[in-house]
Amino acid sequence: MRDITEADFANATWAHYLAELQQDELQRVSDLPSGAFARQHLLRELREHLGKGKTVLVHWAADTFIEKNQLLVEKGSNQYRQLCQRLMRAQIEALKRASERDLGDALELNRRWQEARTRGE
C-alpha cells in the first residue's frame, strides 16, 4: 500500500475518461437502443452533484481505482474527495463527447482517439 500521487490522480482521470468512451462505443456497435436520454440525464446529475460537492455517483470508480492500485486513501478524506471530483469531471467530458456523437460530430472524437493512441494511452 502507498500514498496517492499526482500521477495517480492523472492516470485515474484519463483511464476513467477512456473507459467511459469505450463503453459508449460498445453500446453503439452492439445495436442497443440509443442511450442519448440517459446520457443527458446522467450529465445533468453529475454537474449538479459536482456543483454541490457530492461525489456519490463515482464512488464505485474511485474505490475500484484505489483497490486496483493498492493506494492508501480513506473514504471521506480530502484525497478521496479530490479523486472523485476528478473522476466526475472526466465522466462529464466523456458524456459531452458522446452527446457530440449523438449530434453527428464524430470527426472530433476520432481525432482525439487518434491522438491518444499515438501517445500510447
Side-chain angles (χ1 to χ4, degrees):
M1 300 290 276
R2 62 183 177 79
D3 290 330
I4 193 167
T5 65
E6 185 58 38
D8 291 319
F9 283 121
N11 290 338
T13 303
W14 184 246
H16 188 63
Y17 174 76
L18 290 178
E20 291 296 313
L21 288 178
Q22 289 171 339
Q23 183 64 32
D24 178 64
E25 182 64 23
L26 288 173
Q27 181 181 5
R28 289 172 193 273
V29 300
S30 64
D31 292 330
L32 293 174
S34 173
F37 177 77
R39 280 191 293 278
Q40 289 304 314
H41 177 72
L42 180 55
L43 183 58
R44 280 192 303 276
E45 288 294 310
L46 282 164
R47 286 177 170 161
E48 183 179 318
H49 278 233
L50 187 60
K52 293 179 179 180
K54 296 179 181 178
T55 59
V56 68
L57 296 175
V58 293
H59 283 184
W60 64 272
D63 295 344
T64 300
F65 184 81
I66 290 166
E67 184 178 324
K68 179 182 173 185
N69 292 280
Q70 299 180 332
L71 300 172
L72 296 169
V73 179
E74 290 185 38
K75 281 193 175 195
S77 69
N78 187 46
Q79 289 179 324
Y80 188 80
R81 191 170 26 266
Q82 186 179 6
L83 176 61
C84 287
Q85 288 171 342
R86 289 182 183 208
L87 293 173
M88 289 175 80
R89 287 184 182 99
Q91 192 162 358
I92 287 168
E93 287 302 314
L95 287 166
K96 286 166 59 176
R97 299 299 79 78
S99 294
E100 290 170 0
R101 288 192 71 193
D102 291 340
L103 297 173
D105 190 6
L107 292 176
E108 179 64 15
L109 183 61
N110 279 336
R111 184 186 65 76
R112 290 179 186 171
W113 271 102
Q114 291 303 321
E115 286 177 359
R117 293 178 84 186
T118 301
R119 290 190 303 262
E121 299 170 350

